[in-house]
Amino acid sequence: MDFDINTLRSLTTVLSFVLFIGIFAWAWSRKRTKDFEEAANLPFEQD
């Protein structure tokens, strides 16, 4: 296999897309809903 700049660019694009999908799935998972709701309400808590 000839490894040139276009192969590197393609690999970088695919890895970036996989990372994006992973972050998207993590952010929208049902397990994280409670944590994100608590974080969203932090500015409204009184000392």
Side-chain angles (χ1 to χ4, degrees):
M1 180 175 156
D2 190 22
F3 194 75
D4 61 354
I5 190 69
N6 290 326
T7 305
L8 182 62
R9 288 177 180 163
S10 298
L11 184 60
T12 303
T13 300
V14 170
L15 289 176
S16 297
F17 182 69
V18 169
L19 181 63
F20 172 78
I21 295 299
I23 292 172
F24 185 83
W26 171 79
W28 286 95
S29 69
R30 295 198 187 270
K31 294 188 303 185
R32 304 291 303 168
T33 302
K34 184 180 177 211
D35 295 333
F36 287 137
E37 286 177 357
E38 289 175 3
N41 288 323
L42 281 175
F44 303 113
E45 292 181 1
Q46 297 288 329
D47 286 342

